[in-house]
Amino acid sequence: METTLRGVGVSHGVAIGEVRHMGTAVLEPPAKQIPTEEAEREQGRARQAVEAVAADLIARGNLAGGEAQHVLEAQAMMAQDPELMADVDRRIAVGSTAERGVYDAFASYRALLANAGEYLAGRVADLDDVRNRIVARLLGVPMPGVPDSDEPYVLIARDLAPADTALLDPALVLGFVTEEGGPTSHSAILARALGVPAVVALPGAGEIAEGTVVAVDGSTGEVFVEPSDEKRTAMESAAAARKAALSATTGPGATSDGHKVPLLANVGGPADVPAAVEAGAEGVGLFRTEFLFLDDSKQAPTEAKQIAAYRAVLEAFPEGRVVVRVLDAGADKPLDFLTPADEPNPALGVRGLRSLLDHPDVLRTQLTALSKAVEGLPVYLEVMAPMVADRADAKAFADACREAGLQAKFGAMVEIPSAALRARSILQEVEFLSLGTNDLAQYTFAADRQVGAVSRLQDPWQPALLDLVALSADAARAEGKSCGVCGEAAADPLLACVLTGLGVTSLSMGAASIPYVRATLAKYTLAQCERAASAARATDSAEEARIAAQAVLSGE
């Protein structure tokens, strides 16, 4: 009998197939004591296992490429964290085995983060995966992983670690469903990059029996268990129609009546550029430069290294627009040379622009490198600061850009409610705004963007979030300046129409989402988008907003 479950759709497309569950294993080692004379040997075993796991993560990243590579390299750094390793050594020195020392040290770190309410708690799935890989290697047991199957299937898991998600074979894994996670989790981001339909934060997903046929709609978040023939036919027809529409729509982003909405790509570095170009991106709306800095948490990359990376991206978009976000360090991207080590809540502490203003030499080097990288290139460079709270922040950033001799437009990211509320004031100092809807939702609703339990508050359809978008867009329009969206909200085709109706002037997203957004925008006029936006804002919940907008656009 057909039943319907609803989670959070995070990657477009439809998948219909039999369920296979992610393999599991008991990885808690026994708590036994070792003689003191064996401590040094056990410490050596632990270090060897850590280095092997870090090397494996880096190798997986090299195979996956693109944004997945950056995620896995960051995870490798997590495995080698010196404070964690020091704790492992201490535990072994007082009698723990290598595997027990690792297990307990990671458990202690995990509990510390959760109890402190830190933003890093959002990376718990990543932390657990690193621990499991190290412990499995020490115990000599296989890591839980993607099931071995010759036939395509729908994968179900409690959560998917980046190391598993990055190497999924789309020819076999038709789609995946997880019980945990949120729309901005690593798994969701990598699913979109792979083009695999995915639904996260689905309670009870693990109870669906192995071999059961399910139909997954990665756009709506619906999972149909044992779908009827009629439902399967309807979903397959809709998927075929969507694919045909994608193929038929090319060129710059625009509504059906010709209102231009540039569609840009979010990239982490040169490796992400080919997919963006292939998808027809009109430029880059978010160049996340922090991935370059995460290669070595001990020191900033040299000016020469930065110039090479920036120029490789800039060269790919002649006559296009490339928006570079300066280093966004802190919170879930700590850097030893920049980030305070003793903050009780890094998400609300010294992160983003605040870190850079505390370390003006790091900001100056980055701005100088950008200035040199763009020399002689026919590209429109724009540079923006993360975590701008008020006009003083915006002025400090603009002044730093001018002092570095940077010939580019200077902008501010709207990720804090205060920036949306006072957007017109901020625009007295900068030339454009870019809405980071992921963090803006987090700070608006006090809801960690990685915690599945509060995923409904991370839904970019929340009317309160749409109100803040509208405030920002209205302020930009009044000042004759631009206001784009570079958060994950831009990747939702229906929401892209609403954002356009709110007055957003450009949309930036993962490359895989660009064709979907382009095809959907092309179906509606600007007036229809404006009516859909008004209808969505008039509701009281994300679900009601989505339904209201859909009703307007479908002519109901």
Side-chain angles (χ1 to χ4, degrees):
M1 182 177 178
E2 179 180 310
T3 57
T4 304
L5 305 175
R6 183 180 290 278
V8 179
V10 296
S11 184
H12 307 302
V14 169
I16 302 175
E18 292 187 1
V19 163
R20 296 287 182 274
H21 286 270
M22 176 71 83
T24 58
V26 177
L27 291 176
E28 180 173 357
K32 64 178 183 180
Q33 291 292 107
I34 59 168
T36 303
E37 58 269 21
E38 292 183 17
E40 188 173 344
R41 178 179 67 84
E42 290 295 289
Q43 288 168 340
R45 285 182 65 228
R47 282 190 291 273
Q48 287 176 0
V50 166
E51 292 305 319
V53 166
D56 178 63
L57 289 169
I58 290 171
R60 286 170 177 258
N62 291 335
L63 282 173
E67 187 157 3
Q69 181 171 5
H70 303 307
V71 171
L72 293 176
E73 286 174 351
Q75 207 179 4
M77 288 172 55
M78 184 185 290
Q80 298 169 305
D81 183 272
E83 290 188 17
L84 263 175
M85 283 311 301
D87 190 18
V88 171
D89 282 343
R90 284 193 295 270
R91 291 173 186 275
I92 294 174
V94 296
S96 288
T97 60
E99 45 267 37
R100 191 71 206 188
V102 167
Y103 186 89
D104 289 341
F106 271 77
S108 176
Y109 188 47
R110 189 183 197 276
L112 178 66
L113 295 178
N115 291 336
E118 295 191 10
Y119 185 65
L120 278 174
R123 296 299 185 220
V124 161
D126 298 7
L127 185 70
D128 288 348
D129 181 58
V130 171
R131 177 202 64 202
N132 287 346
R133 290 177 186 279
I134 297 170
V135 172
R137 183 172 286 273
L138 287 165
L139 290 173
V141 300
M143 258 300 296
V146 177
D148 185 17
S149 174
D150 295 328
E151 298 296 324
Y153 59 90
V154 174
L155 179 63
I156 289 185
R158 185 185 64 80
D159 203 347
L160 281 172
D164 293 316
T165 313
L167 295 182
L168 290 178
D169 181 356
L172 284 176
V173 181
L174 302 171
F176 68 76
V177 179
T178 66
E179 293 192 65
E180 298 294 328
T184 58
S185 66
H186 276 154
S187 292
I189 292 169
L190 295 179
R192 285 188 286 272
L194 286 166
V196 176
V199 172
V200 301
L202 182 73
E207 298 171 13
I208 302 174
E210 186 91 0
T212 302
V213 174
V214 296
V216 178
D217 190 326
S219 299
T220 66
E222 292 173 309
V223 175
F224 302 95
V225 181
E226 296 182 338
S228 65
D229 291 342
E230 291 79 9
K231 174 64 71 177
R232 294 179 65 161
T233 300
M235 293 183 71
E236 288 167 349
S237 297
R242 189 179 301 160
K243 185 175 181 180
L246 293 180
S247 301
T249 310
T250 58
T255 57
S256 63
D257 55 340
H259 175 73
K260 295 187 183 301
V261 187
L263 303 182
L264 312 172
N266 295 344
V267 304
D272 294 335
V273 167
V277 172
E278 184 179 353
E282 298 167 60
V284 172
L286 173 61
F287 182 176
R288 300 183 178 99
T289 60
E290 60 269 18
F291 288 121
L292 182 63
F293 287 75
L294 288 170
D295 285 346
D296 183 353
S297 67
K298 303 295 183 185
Q299 59 184 1
T302 64
E303 181 181 297
K305 183 176 181 180
Q306 291 189 53
I307 291 171
Y310 303 151
R311 195 170 180 89
V313 174
L314 293 167
E315 286 176 336
F317 295 96
E319 305 300 333
R321 175 187 177 200
V322 175
V323 184
V324 177
R325 179 175 69 190
V326 294
L327 176 61
D328 184 15
D332 66 331
K333 294 165 285 195
L335 295 170
D336 292 348
F337 66 89
L338 199 69
T339 308
D342 55 353
E343 289 186 312
N345 192 340
L348 303 180
V350 182
R351 65 166 292 197
L353 179 61
R354 299 167 187 175
S355 292
L356 293 174
L357 294 179
D358 281 353
H359 297 81
D361 53 323
V362 176
L363 177 58
R364 188 182 309 111
T365 298
Q366 184 170 24
L367 295 175
T368 301
L370 284 165
S371 181
K372 293 179 179 179
V374 78
E375 287 178 359
L377 295 180
V379 64
Y380 299 96
L381 175 64
E382 302 183 9
V383 182
M384 61 185 181
M387 301 302 293
V388 171
D390 56 16
R391 183 173 179 173
D393 278 352
K395 183 179 188 303
F397 177 65
D399 287 346
C401 290
R402 282 188 282 266
E403 288 170 10
L406 185 60
Q407 299 299 308
K409 284 187 176 182
F410 317 140
M413 291 200 70
V414 177
E415 302 167 283
I416 303 172
S418 64
L421 294 168
R422 301 289 294 172
R424 197 159 183 180
S425 171
I426 288 171
L427 283 166
Q428 304 310 303
E429 305 294 342
V430 295
E431 297 172 82
F432 69 93
L433 300 177
S434 183
L435 288 141
T437 52
N438 306 350
D439 270 321
L440 185 57
Q442 171 175 249
Y443 291 120
T444 298
F445 297 103
D448 192 311
R449 55 189 281 193
Q450 300 298 328
V451 176
V454 292
S455 62
R456 78 171 185 87
L457 297 172
Q458 267 295 323
D459 192 323
W461 281 94
Q462 285 284 355
L465 189 65
L466 299 181
D467 287 345
L468 293 176
V469 173
L471 278 174
S472 303
D474 288 346
R477 185 187 300 112
E479 294 296 326
K481 297 180 179 180
S482 63
C483 176
V485 168
C486 63
E488 293 300 320
D492 180 333
L494 181 62
L495 185 51
C497 295
V498 168
L499 295 173
T500 298
L502 292 173
V504 166
T505 55
S506 66
L507 299 166
S508 189
M509 63 209 76
S513 298
I514 291 175
Y516 291 92
V517 173
R518 180 192 292 119
T520 304
L521 270 177
K523 293 164 57 178
Y524 306 108
T525 65
L526 176 59
Q528 286 177 298
C529 292
E530 289 172 342
R531 288 197 295 272
S534 296
R537 289 183 66 193
T539 64
D540 293 314
S541 72
E543 182 60 21
E544 290 174 357
R546 186 183 289 107
I547 292 170
Q550 181 66 69
V552 169
L553 293 176
S554 62
E556 296 176 6

